[in-house]
Amino acid sequence: MATIRDVAREAGVSIATVSRVINHSPRVSDEARRRVEAAAKLLDYWPNSAARSLHTRRHNLLGILLPDLHGGFFSEIIRGIDEEARRAHFQILISSSHANSLAMLAAVRAMRGRIDCLIAMAPERESMETVTRTDHRFPVVLLNPFGNPSGFNSVAISNREGARALVSHLIETGHQRIAMLSGPQTNGDASERLEGYRDALNLAGIHPDPALVIVGDFREDSGYQLAERVLDLDPRPTAVFAANDQMAIGLVSALREAEIAVPESIAVAGFDDTMIAGYISPPLTTVRVDPHALGRAAVAMALKVISNPNDLSTTRELVPTTLVVRRSCGCSTNSAHQVRVSRRTRQPVSNSSSEPVNPAPGAGFETASWEEK
Amino acid sequence: MATIRDVAREAGVSIATVSRVINHSPRVSDEARRRVEAAAKLLDYWPNSAARSLHTRRHNLLGILLPDLHGGFFSEIIRGIDEEARRAHFQILISSSHANSLAMLAAVRAMRGRIDCLIAMAPERESMETVTRTDHRFPVVLLNPFGNPSGFNSVAISNREGARALVSHLIETGHQRIAMLSGPQTNGDASERLEGYRDALNLAGIHPDPALVIVGDFREDSGYQLAERVLDLDPRPTAVFAANDQMAIGLVSALREAEIAVPESIAVAGFDDTMIAGYISPPLTTVRVDPHALGRAAVAMALKVISNPNDLSTTRELVPTTLVVRRSCGCSTNSAHQVRVSRRTRQPVSNSSSEPVNPAPGAGFETASWEEK
DNA sequence: TTGTAAGCGTTATCAG
DNA sequence: CTGATAACGCTTACAA
């Protein structure tokens, strides 16, 4: 456990000189540099990051706050984050699956003094409000946040555009009566996908029938259970758009058990293009989201924010989605695997100073403010 | 950005008292405690973790070193790690996908002064040697290491036992001539699974025929390509054990294209029980490894090491595997979904002080010792 | 029970 | 180009 003092003594120089060598300062004689390097090797000296960060206030560390770590989606986000971070010699500090916003806040607190920027995924309204409170401790980039929060940098999936493209495809291939298996409306992705569904219908001059929207909970079992309600619709829809692949898969298996042919009797489509989507039978038409790109984009934005600390403008970036046509929608153009790609957009949003981030007076006082345990 | 001094001033006490309140010292008057708490809330004070760890040398942070973040396996390991870590109020610092051992070493260096223990996955021989060098900077727990390194705490998959159980099952259901699609022999999992395969044959009195072992690279395409070599074997094997599910899946699709019925003409089994294994057709018989449990076990061990800093003995723990029988092996007992579970074992191994960890003299000198960029 | 002061291991500002 | 030395924000003897 050699420290900088040990190295200085060994090299016969002052600690300042050792520090300069370590930090590649040009103001060091070759002779001194040589001796410091030799001493550092001899003692196998590793600088102490905590001491260094304490003084420089730089950490080369990105804090990542996720609701959960489950499933391929999250693992791909993390991989994207890690990949992009490493290119800039940053490491990542992950904290996930917090039972409530107090636990979440405690996790963020523990990051104080260690991270340069926080990347927070807050798909629900409640978690958004929690993240809001962390403001001003370090910069924040939101990952796929609930709603369209102004005053924050964010990176999100183009849910609405993806859903619109998918449903438009269904309409173009002849479907008029299209049901939607929606996700929970407290979830941002779910509500945006529902909007996209409505957009497509409106664009085609079809009046969205509220009876055709059935609310599920994003899980496979939910899709399975709700098949009954889909079949009870009168007249029966010719296609169902599930807000994610898991529900679509549950729906397909329920339909198979009921001996209703997919796609001949009812076409089915999902969203996400999970690993399994291409393996089930029939292979699922869906919208590919690229969680890896999402992670990378978030880090790219975080790095930009870090390097421009006095630029207070905020940006919202949308990561494009891709329509993936497979057999479950029953269209004839199966050769065209990827039909449409939504454009990558980048739009400036309002400056954070123009609007109070947390309007509730004294909101920061509701929980102990420095408490850790 | 209030510091402890601001809180002290606001509360009209010394910084020592503030520190005592924060750290729940009992030696504080109720009155002082009250005022400090009020001041902390008012100023929204968050302690600086770097400053704190610099002094206490505790960080509540686990360093995680992984070769890759790809796939469900790694994501489940991380989830297990995160879950168990959070129970103890630890966060995790992840670094993965290092192109070479220099990059790996740099990543570990950056953790100096920030983590309490390193959990390192080093499935290849080269990465093991790198990890070896980090010793004495902080305690290390190896995750599924190559070989059976003495002098290190480790948690591993019971590959050999799992493979043995699977192949024994194949033998019990009538197969005598069983080929193996092995993984790369530089990989610890691959070689252990091969050992298990040999064990089962020997136990049944079948002499292992080297010609029946075909070496692949763990990827799906490899299984697909090597189908040809399997079919060229004379006499043709009645069953093939692939060292992981991906190769098994590739093999199955090649066999389907060659119109060879699975399991009727050739039975196939894999290893890992990945997500897809149950979804392909026929559903794949395989060995379930529980990466989530692996992650949790590693953290549990790390926490134990941290809390007993002067206990230098080391432990090797094996996380059990489960035989999962599905249709692809063609046995009749499909009702018995999970047939056999290997026992969880825990064995003491030699003490680290008895054997030099890094025998190469001056090995630490081959790379710059404190260099970061 | 409280305060003073000495570090923890760095970086960075000065003089020299 | 180099060396003292004062921070950085906190914890913890030691004294009071």
Side-chain angles (χ1 to χ4, degrees):
Chain A
M1 306 279 208
T3 73
I4 199 172
R5 308 202 112 80
D6 301 317
V7 177
R9 192 183 318 116
E10 177 70 30
V13 298
S14 73
I15 59 169
T17 298
V18 176
S19 178
R20 283 193 269 266
V21 173
I22 291 170
N23 294 296
H24 303 95
S25 161
R27 303 168 129 10
V28 180
S29 67
D30 285 353
E31 169 62 9
R33 182 181 310 280
R34 205 191 50 67
R35 286 164 59 190
V36 168
E37 282 173 349
K41 273 183 194 173
L42 179 65
L43 301 175
D44 199 15
Y45 167 64
W46 293 12
N48 181 311
S49 305
R52 194 194 290 227
S53 325
L54 180 57
H55 198 274
T56 61
R57 289 142 189 290
R58 278 170 299 129
H59 316 279
N60 278 250
L61 207 51
L62 256 23
I64 314 292
L65 197 66
L66 295 176
D68 197 354
L69 240 30
H70 208 287
F73 188 76
F74 288 94
S75 97
E76 280 299 294
I77 288 182
I78 294 177
R79 195 167 70 88
I81 287 176
D82 182 78
E83 197 173 306
E84 189 74 14
R86 194 177 38 269
R87 292 167 40 128
H89 299 285
F90 271 67
Q91 291 185 323
I92 62 181
L93 182 50
I94 293 187
S95 185
S96 82
S97 302
H98 304 285
N100 51 55
S101 49
L102 233 89
M104 204 167 150
L105 209 50
V108 175
R109 279 229 174 77
M111 294 180 179
R112 169 85 214 276
R114 328 187 113 131
I115 65 173
D116 300 292
C117 181
L118 176 68
I119 295 178
M121 183 151 183
E124 321 281 339
R125 177 171 282 128
E126 192 195 351
S127 45
M128 262 302 300
E129 288 172 1
T130 303
V131 167
T132 275
R133 296 198 195 154
T134 72
D135 206 28
H136 295 301
R137 308 332 273 229
F138 25 63
V140 175
V141 168
L142 297 177
L143 199 51
N144 212 31
F146 178 89
N148 191 333
S150 67
F152 278 97
N153 286 291
S154 66
V155 174
I157 299 166
S158 54
N159 282 306
R160 188 165 181 170
E161 295 74 8
R164 189 190 298 146
L166 173 61
V167 176
S168 291
H169 172 74
L170 293 175
I171 295 171
E172 281 162 18
T173 57
H175 296 280
Q176 289 279 321
R177 195 164 163 78
I178 304 170
M180 166 137 200
L181 238 53
S182 174
Q185 291 310 296
T186 53
N187 180 288
D189 293 315
S191 52
E192 288 169 23
R193 289 169 193 180
L194 180 58
E195 286 304 310
Y197 160 81
R198 292 201 184 111
D199 287 351
L201 294 179
N202 287 326
L203 279 170
I206 302 172
H207 184 69
D209 178 356
L212 288 177
V213 176
I214 301 172
V215 177
D217 68 4
F218 268 157
R219 298 182 317 140
E220 185 171 329
D221 187 57
S222 166
Y224 184 90
Q225 300 296 339
L226 295 175
E228 199 177 340
R229 298 214 7 226
V230 169
L231 296 175
D232 282 350
L233 290 170
D234 185 28
R236 185 191 280 181
T238 62
V240 183
F241 167 40
N244 72 350
D245 285 357
Q246 287 186 65
M247 287 198 295
I249 289 167
L251 175 64
V252 166
S253 55
L255 292 178
R256 172 184 297 143
E257 286 178 18
E259 300 192 349
I260 292 169
V262 175
E264 292 77 5
S265 301
I266 295 188
V268 173
F271 205 111
D272 286 344
D273 195 26
T274 56
M275 193 96 261
I276 308 167
Y279 285 88
I280 67 164
S281 137
L284 193 64
T285 290
T286 186
V287 177
R288 175 173 303 157
V289 319
D290 186 346
H292 181 259
L294 193 65
R296 293 193 61 156
V299 170
M301 190 176 281
L303 294 175
K304 198 178 299 174
V305 170
I306 291 168
S307 54
N308 297 46
N310 29 14
D311 177 3
L312 295 177
S313 69
T314 59
T315 309
R316 172 177 164 89
E317 182 172 337
L318 288 182
V319 173
T321 50
T322 312
L323 178 58
V324 177
V325 176
R326 298 204 184 92
R327 295 231 327 276
S328 74
C329 67
C331 77
S332 50
T333 57
N334 279 336
S335 56
H337 187 65
Q338 297 181 4
V339 179
R340 198 171 295 139
V341 181
S342 69
R343 291 189 316 281
R344 174 169 288 233
T345 64
R346 197 175 287 217
Q347 37 178 267
V349 295
S350 73
N351 187 303
S352 67
S353 59
S354 65
E355 210 174 26
V357 165
N358 187 353
F365 293 68
E366 292 161 20
T367 62
S369 53
W370 43 262
E371 185 69 352
E372 275 205 326
K373 290 175 192 139
Chain B
M1 306 281 211
T3 74
I4 198 172
R5 308 202 113 81
D6 300 317
V7 177
R9 192 183 317 115
E10 177 70 29
V13 298
S14 74
I15 59 169
T17 299
V18 177
S19 176
R20 289 189 189 100
V21 173
I22 290 170
N23 294 298
H24 303 97
S25 161
R27 304 166 130 11
V28 180
S29 69
D30 286 353
E31 169 62 10
R33 183 182 308 281
R34 206 190 49 65
R35 285 165 56 190
V36 169
E37 284 173 348
K41 274 182 192 172
L42 179 65
L43 301 175
D44 199 14
Y45 168 62
W46 294 13
N48 181 311
S49 304
R52 193 194 291 228
S53 11
L54 180 57
H55 197 272
T56 61
R57 288 142 187 291
R58 279 169 299 129
H59 315 280
N60 278 249
L61 207 51
L62 256 26
I64 314 292
L65 198 65
L66 296 175
D68 196 354
L69 239 31
H70 209 284
F73 188 76
F74 289 94
S75 98
E76 281 300 293
I77 288 183
I78 294 178
R79 195 167 70 89
I81 288 176
D82 182 77
E83 197 174 306
E84 191 74 14
R86 194 176 40 267
R87 291 167 42 126
H89 299 285
F90 271 67
Q91 291 186 324
I92 62 181
L93 182 51
I94 294 187
S95 186
S96 82
S97 302
H98 304 285
N100 51 55
S101 50
L102 233 89
M104 205 166 150
L105 209 50
V108 175
R109 279 230 173 79
M111 294 181 179
R112 168 86 213 275
R114 337 186 105 131
I115 65 173
D116 300 292
C117 181
L118 177 68
I119 295 178
M121 184 152 183
E124 320 282 341
R125 176 170 283 128
E126 190 194 351
S127 45
M128 263 301 300
E129 288 172 0
T130 303
V131 167
T132 274
R133 295 198 195 153
T134 72
D135 205 29
H136 294 300
R137 308 331 274 229
F138 25 63
V140 175
V141 169
L142 297 177
L143 198 52
N144 212 33
F146 178 89
N148 192 335
S150 67
F152 278 97
N153 286 292
S154 66
V155 174
I157 299 166
S158 54
N159 282 308
R160 186 165 183 172
E161 296 75 8
R164 189 190 299 145
L166 173 62
V167 175
S168 292
H169 172 74
L170 293 174
I171 295 170
E172 281 162 20
T173 56
H175 295 281
Q176 290 277 323
R177 193 163 165 79
I178 304 171
M180 167 137 197
L181 236 53
S182 173
Q185 291 309 299
T186 53
N187 179 288
D189 294 315
S191 52
E192 288 169 24
R193 289 170 193 179
L194 180 58
E195 286 304 309
Y197 159 82
R198 293 200 183 111
D199 287 351
L201 294 179
N202 286 326
L203 279 171
I206 302 173
H207 184 68
D209 178 357
L212 288 176
V213 175
I214 300 171
V215 177
D217 67 3
F218 268 156
R219 298 183 315 141
E220 186 172 328
D221 187 57
S222 165
Y224 184 90
Q225 300 296 340
L226 295 174
E228 197 176 342
R229 296 211 11 223
V230 170
L231 296 175
D232 282 349
L233 290 168
D234 185 30
R236 186 192 278 181
T238 62
V240 182
F241 167 39
N244 73 350
D245 285 357
Q246 287 185 65
M247 286 198 296
I249 289 167
L251 175 64
V252 166
S253 55
L255 293 178
R256 173 181 297 143
E257 286 179 18
E259 297 192 351
I260 293 170
V262 176
E264 292 76 7
S265 301
I266 295 188
V268 173
F271 205 112
D272 286 344
D273 194 25
T274 55
M275 193 96 261
I276 308 168
Y279 284 88
I280 66 163
S281 142
L284 193 66
T285 290
T286 185
V287 177
R288 176 173 305 158
V289 318
D290 188 347
H292 181 258
L294 192 67
R296 294 193 59 153
V299 171
M301 189 175 279
L303 293 175
K304 198 178 297 173
V305 170
I306 291 168
S307 54
N308 296 45
N310 29 14
D311 177 4
L312 294 178
S313 69
T314 59
T315 309
R316 172 178 162 89
E317 181 173 337
L318 287 183
V319 173
T321 50
T322 312
L323 178 58
V324 177
V325 176
R326 297 206 185 90
R327 295 232 327 275
S328 73
C329 67
C331 77
S332 48
T333 57
N334 279 336
S335 56
H337 187 66
Q338 296 181 5
V339 178
R340 198 172 294 138
V341 181
S342 68
R343 291 190 315 282
R344 175 170 289 230
T345 65
R346 198 177 287 217
Q347 39 179 265
V349 295
S350 73
N351 186 303
S352 67
S353 59
S354 65
E355 211 174 26
V357 165
N358 188 351
F365 293 66
E366 292 162 18
T367 61
S369 54
W370 43 261
E371 186 68 352
E372 275 202 325
K373 292 179 194 143

